[in-house]
Amino acid sequence: MAELAQFEELARQLSAVGAVKRDLARILPHECPSGSAAVLTLLGRHGSMRMSKLAELLAVDMSVTSRHVAHVAERGWIERSPDPADKRSRILHLTPTGEATLQDLSRRSTELLTERLSDWTDEEVDQLIRLMTRLRASFGDCRATAPPPRSAVGTAPAQGSPKATAGSTLVSAARAPTPVLDALEPTTRTPA
C-alpha cells in the first residue's frame, strides 16, 4: 500500500484536476453551459430516460435538473414525451439536433485534449486512461447515491464491483461519444 505522504500528494494533484475541468468548460459554446452539456452527455450515454433518473445521474436536485432540461429543450436538443407507464412523467430523448450538438461537444473536447497532450506518447495517454478508470472504479459510481460498501481502506472492491488489474482497461459498455464532458460539474454555469 502507498505511504501517507503519497496519498497527500495525490490529494493535491487531484485538486488540480479542477483546472482541466475549467478549461474543458471554457470550450463549451455560450448557448451550452456545462449543465446542458452534462444532460446531453448522459442522454447520449444512457439513452432516453425520465427526469428523475437524470437528476439521480446528475446528482443534483430536481429543480436544478428541470432548469437544465428546460434550457436544452428550448434549443431543440431534447424532446419531452409522455411516459406510457405514467402519464404524469415525461421521457427525455435526444433530438437529431441534440445528437449533432453532442458530437460538436465531443469534437471540441477531443481537440483540446489533443492540443494539450500533444507531447504525450500513446502509451502515456493509455496509462492515464487506465489509471483514471481504475480510480473511478475504486470510488464506485460517483453519481450514485451511496458508495459501494468496503470493509476497510485498502481492501478489495466489494462483491460485484469492477476490479482493474495491471494492464487491464475498464470500459463502460454503454459509452457516449463525449466521455470528457461528464467530468464537468453540471452546476458550474446555469442557463440564462
Side-chain angles (χ1 to χ4, degrees):
M1 179 179 225
E3 295 184 21
L4 182 60
Q6 289 175 295
F7 287 116
E8 289 171 348
E9 179 58 24
L10 177 59
R12 282 190 290 276
Q13 293 301 324
L14 287 174
S15 68
V17 170
V20 175
K21 291 169 66 171
R22 284 188 296 278
D23 267 5
L24 286 166
R26 284 185 193 108
I27 64 167
L28 296 175
H30 180 69
E31 70 277 5
C32 187
S34 59
S36 298
V39 168
L40 295 176
T41 299
L42 289 170
L43 287 171
R45 173 172 292 139
H46 298 285
S48 300
M49 67 182 77
R50 285 183 175 183
M51 185 132 42
S52 57
K53 177 65 176 176
L54 180 61
E56 178 186 327
L57 291 171
L58 287 170
V60 297
D61 187 78
M62 193 66 142
S63 63
V64 174
T65 303
S66 294
R67 284 195 304 272
H68 293 318
V69 166
H71 182 80
V72 295
E74 287 168 7
R75 279 143 187 84
W77 297 337
I78 66 165
E79 290 178 343
R80 296 175 276 196
S81 58
D83 183 348
D86 181 357
K87 297 295 181 197
R88 296 169 298 170
S89 295
R90 298 279 179 248
I91 300 289
L92 309 175
H93 314 271
L94 278 177
T95 64
T97 305
E99 290 174 9
T101 301
L102 186 57
Q103 290 298 322
D104 178 55
L105 298 175
S106 178
R107 179 191 55 75
R108 289 168 182 253
S109 301
T110 302
E111 287 174 358
L112 178 65
L113 290 170
T114 300
E115 174 190 321
R116 297 296 168 86
L117 305 181
S118 64
D119 59 338
W120 290 42
T121 66
D122 290 349
E123 293 77 24
E124 289 171 326
V125 173
D126 285 342
Q127 183 180 19
L128 179 63
I129 293 167
R130 195 170 46 256
L131 291 173
M132 289 189 75
T133 301
R134 185 173 178 189
L135 176 67
R136 195 167 174 174
S138 293
F139 278 85
D141 184 355
C142 298
R143 298 179 195 279
T145 54
R150 292 181 71 148
S151 56
V153 174
T155 61
Q159 185 81 4
S161 65
K163 178 178 167 104
T165 58
S168 72
T169 302
L170 296 173
V171 178
S172 170
R175 175 166 280 193
T178 55
V180 170
L181 293 176
D182 73 14
L184 298 173
E185 293 297 324
T187 55
T188 302
R189 290 183 356 208
T190 53

